[in-house]
Each structure stands twice: as C-alpha cells, then as structure tokens.
Amino acid sequence: MSARFVNLAILTLLVLELASGVGGVLVGQQGGQWMFWLHRIGGWGLACLLCWKWGIVVRSYRRHGLTPGTVFSALVKVLFLVSLGSGLLWATTGLPRLSVPLLGSWTGLSLHVAVSLALAPLLALHAAMRWQRPRRVDLASRRAALRSLGLLAAGFVLWRVQETTAAAARLCGAERRFTGSREEGSFQGNAHPVTNWLSDPVLRLDPAGWRLRVSGLVERELVLSYGEVLALADGLRQALLDCTGGWYTVQRWSGVPVVALLERADVREGARSLIVRSATGYSRRFPLSRAGELLLATRVEREPLSSERGSPLRLVAPGYRGYH
Ligand code: HEM
Ligand SMILES: Nc1nc2c(c(=O)[nH]1)N[C@H]1C(S)=C(S)[C@@H](COP(=O)(O)O)O[C@H]1N2
Ligand SMILES: [Mo]
C-alpha cells in the first residue's frame, strides 16, 4: 500500500472514531448502538493500518532525523497509541481506576476519552503540516475501493473475533453494555459509585430549609417543602444509570413522579420542554413528551439519599445517560 493511501486512511478513520465516539456518548440509547459498532470497526481498522504506518514512520525518521517537526509528530503518535491502546484494553481486559492529581479517580474509559479529545486539535495540525494532495488513484480507483473495503472487512472481523474471544476467555470485556460500561454496585443503594463532574460540589443541604420550586409556563407556581414533597411521593422506579465514565448500575428509586408536579402546577398550552435544575445550578433539558419517564427520588433501595447522591432529592432519568 502506498504511504499516501495509508496516511489518508488513518486520517479518515481517526475522524470517524472521534465522530462515532462523541456521537455514541451523546446519543447513548439503544437506537444509537450502531455508532459504537462503527467505533469498534474503525478502531480495529486503525490497528491493522498501524502495521503499515510503522514502516512509513521508521523511513521518515531515517530521512529527516530529529527536528521540531518530527518531535511534534512523535507526540501525536504517542497520544494516538495511548488512545487506541486504552480503547482496546478497555474493551478486552478492562483497565484499573487511576488516581489523577487534582482530578480525582479516573476510569480507564475517561482517560481514553480525554486523550482522544486532546489528540483531535494536534491531529488536525499534524495533518495540515504533512498534507499530501491525494491522487486520483488514492481516492477513486478500483484498487482504492478494494483496499478500503478490505480494511473495513478486516476491522469487522477483528472486532467479532475480539468479542468471541473475550466471551470464551471470560474476560471482563465480555460484560460490557453496548455503551462499553460495566456493572457496579447494582441494588446496593447509596453504595454505588458517585460521579460529580465539572467540579460540581457536593452540598450538605438541610431538608428543613430546602424548597422545590416549579415555575415557568404554568398556571400555578409551586414552592414545596420537603414534607410536602414526601406527601406526593408514590413512585417506585427501577432505573439503569449508565455513566459515560464507563460504569452502570441498576437501582430502585422512590419519590415523586415529575408528571405529578406538572399536573399540580398545571402546565400551560404551548410548553414543549422541561428544565431540571439542581441546587448547585447543574441543569438538563428534556422534551415535555418524555416527562412521564422522570422521577424526583428521595430514596434509593429504600435508603434516604446520601448527600453525594443529591439528598434530599435527585432526578432519575431512565433511558438517558448518567449526566442527565
Ligand atoms: C482518536 C480517536 C479514537 C480512537 C482511535 C478510539 C479507539 C477506540 C477503540 C479501539 C475502542 C475499543 C473498541 C472495541 O474494540 O470494542 C474504543 C472504545 C471506546 N471509545 Fe474510543 N476512540 C477514539 C475516540 C473516542 C472519543 C472521542 C470518545 C468519546 C467521546 C470515545 C469513546 C469510546 C467509548 C465509550 C468506548 C467503549 C466502547 C466499548 O467498550 O466497546 N472514543 N475506542
Ligand atoms: N448536580 C449534579 N448532578 C449530577 C452530576 C453532577 O456532577 N452534579 N453528575 C452526573 C453524572 S455524570 C452522573 S453519572 C450521575 C451519577 O449519579 P451518582 O453520583 O448518584 O451515581 O449524576 C449526574 N448528576
Ligand atoms: Mo456520568
């Protein structure tokens, strides 16, 4: 394969990986599963291309030696290898949690995402500096088409071999959800992992002074005390919480269905979405049509919520990714 074709194929697959990685995490619902399939096929395709790229890299260093340009490309390559390697290890053997100074405990998957996102701007710069105009034979020839198809087929086969091997060897990679997450602490109430991101603090709120406010396009604004909220509580919901940090947990939550509050407040004609805002200011928007799925929970597995879980009240949004 020509160096130009290999470089172009790597660049194309990396763009595909970035798009399918971000897309998969944003969609996060069963219907968006194909994005993760693309991500896996593309990842294994890249692993194949590495064999050819290796030769190109060695020849390039022999020719140019160490210059600021080659040092920069070396940095891009290291990040690329860490990104690809962490992805493949995550999907097979799993990776231990890592303690990062100032940032707390990171899962291997969070590391994968962070390194991959850091790679994106460097990759763009690297590609611009080393740009070789693709020739017709690289893009539109029969050979190019066959090679591209062959590459995707190889990526697909390697992915399937990986999943089958992981299952046969009982690697923990076989226990991933379609999002890549593994189960932790299901039905153990407050004991499941806590994820606070964007440095959102844990507040120790006193239920006595706490209020729940419902306002916006409603006939009656509500300001409810904790006691008044408890009086409305009648919902129990089993929900799967799937954090983009690579773990999921199933718990039974109880509290007030959001629709019960909306009915009390009497939502006006024309309202289309619902914003839930926490005491820290963290907020998420939902279409009003999905309000029926949402619960404001006061308990998890019958235990009152701990402060880390959002005591006295937290949103449970089954079917959405954890950051909702
Ligand atoms: C430089 C770009 C990237 C490369 C080369 C890459 C590569 C990989 C590879 C090889 C895997 C293992 C897939 C498997 O064999 O099952 C993986 C998994 C994963 N990647 Fe990436 N990735 C990239 C960027 C991203 C980004 C930007 C995100 C999210 C924002 C992301 C999210 C994920 C997730 C959630 C998994 C777990 C899926 C699973 O366990 O199968 N990746 N990645
Ligand atoms: N206010 C607030 N809510 C939040 C977060 C946060 O940082 N602040 N993290 C979200 C994320 S990323 C996840 S996965 C879940 C985790 O819930 P848990 O900490 O109860 O497991 O809470 C979500 N809700
Ligand atoms: Mo999360």
Side-chain angles (χ1 to χ4, degrees):
M1 283 203 259
S2 77
R4 218 180 310 101
F5 177 83
V6 173
N7 289 337
L8 201 61
I10 289 181
L11 184 63
T12 311
L13 284 184
L14 276 173
V15 172
L16 171 85
E17 290 301 271
L18 287 166
S20 59
V22 172
V25 161
L26 287 182
V27 175
Q29 319 212 359
Q30 207 89 34
Q33 197 172 7
W34 58 272
M35 282 202 240
F36 288 98
W37 296 342
L38 279 185
H39 201 71
R40 290 166 190 159
I41 295 171
W44 280 106
L46 279 169
C48 291
L49 283 169
L50 268 187
C51 311
W52 280 280
K53 178 74 181 175
W54 184 249
I56 300 172
V57 170
V58 170
R59 261 179 279 142
S60 164
Y61 280 105
R62 286 220 181 105
R63 217 175 310 133
H64 301 288
L66 271 189
T67 65
T70 53
V71 170
F72 175 69
S73 330
L75 173 71
V76 175
K77 271 155 214 145
V78 168
L79 286 185
F80 170 52
L81 289 179
V82 174
S83 161
L84 187 65
S86 58
L88 291 177
L89 286 175
W90 176 262
T92 49
T93 58
L95 283 167
R97 271 181 195 259
L98 195 89
S99 186
V100 185
L102 299 180
L103 295 172
S105 153
W106 275 41
T107 62
L109 188 62
S110 301
L111 176 87
H112 169 71
V113 172
V115 170
S116 303
L117 291 177
L119 176 65
L122 302 185
L123 177 75
L125 197 60
H126 176 76
M129 281 163 57
R130 297 291 178 92
W131 186 248
Q132 294 167 307
R133 239 183 104 115
R135 295 205 203 134
R136 242 185 91 81
V137 285
D138 300 322
L139 295 177
S141 65
R142 205 170 86 99
R143 201 193 293 167
L146 283 176
R147 277 179 181 162
S148 306
L149 279 179
L151 188 61
L152 290 180
F156 176 81
V157 169
L158 285 173
W159 163 43
R160 295 319 305 163
V161 169
Q162 168 219 325
E163 298 284 1
T164 320
T165 316
R170 293 173 194 274
L171 293 180
C172 78
E175 288 152 25
R176 279 142 56 238
R177 241 189 128 217
F178 74 90
T179 57
S181 299
R182 291 177 179 70
E183 189 161 22
E184 282 191 42
S186 282
F187 305 113
Q188 289 172 22
N190 283 306
H192 75 270
V194 169
T195 300
N196 271 63
W197 67 327
L198 304 175
S199 309
D200 208 13
V202 169
L203 301 183
R204 317 261 154 204
L205 297 170
D206 177 8
W210 174 93
R211 294 289 180 274
L212 173 69
R213 183 184 299 276
V214 183
S215 61
L217 273 183
V218 292
E219 294 300 336
R220 275 182 302 281
E221 297 213 338
L222 308 178
V223 180
L224 304 175
S225 68
Y226 187 54
E228 289 168 317
V229 168
L230 283 184
L232 289 173
D234 76 340
L236 179 84
R237 212 151 294 189
Q238 176 163 312
L240 187 152
L241 170 73
D242 187 345
C243 177
T244 50
W247 56 269
Y248 75 86
T249 192
V250 185
Q251 309 287 341
R252 287 162 299 188
W253 306 84
S254 43
V256 190
V258 165
V259 282
L261 293 169
L262 297 182
E263 270 163 25
R264 275 207 150 198
D266 199 358
V267 177
R268 287 206 202 119
E269 202 68 40
R272 283 206 307 274
S273 60
L274 165 78
I275 296 174
V276 182
R277 182 169 291 116
S278 91
T280 61
Y282 182 82
S283 69
R284 295 278 101 197
R285 183 191 286 268
F286 299 87
L288 208 51
S289 57
R290 290 190 67 174
E293 298 166 47
L294 309 177
L295 181 80
L296 289 171
T298 54
R299 287 175 175 262
V300 56
E301 294 296 322
R302 302 184 191 283
E303 299 167 22
L305 298 179
S306 65
S307 295
E308 290 75 12
R309 297 268 159 247
S311 164
L313 189 86
R314 74 85 81 42
L315 179 70
V316 174
Y320 285 89
R321 283 311 284 269
Y323 58 88
H324 284 91

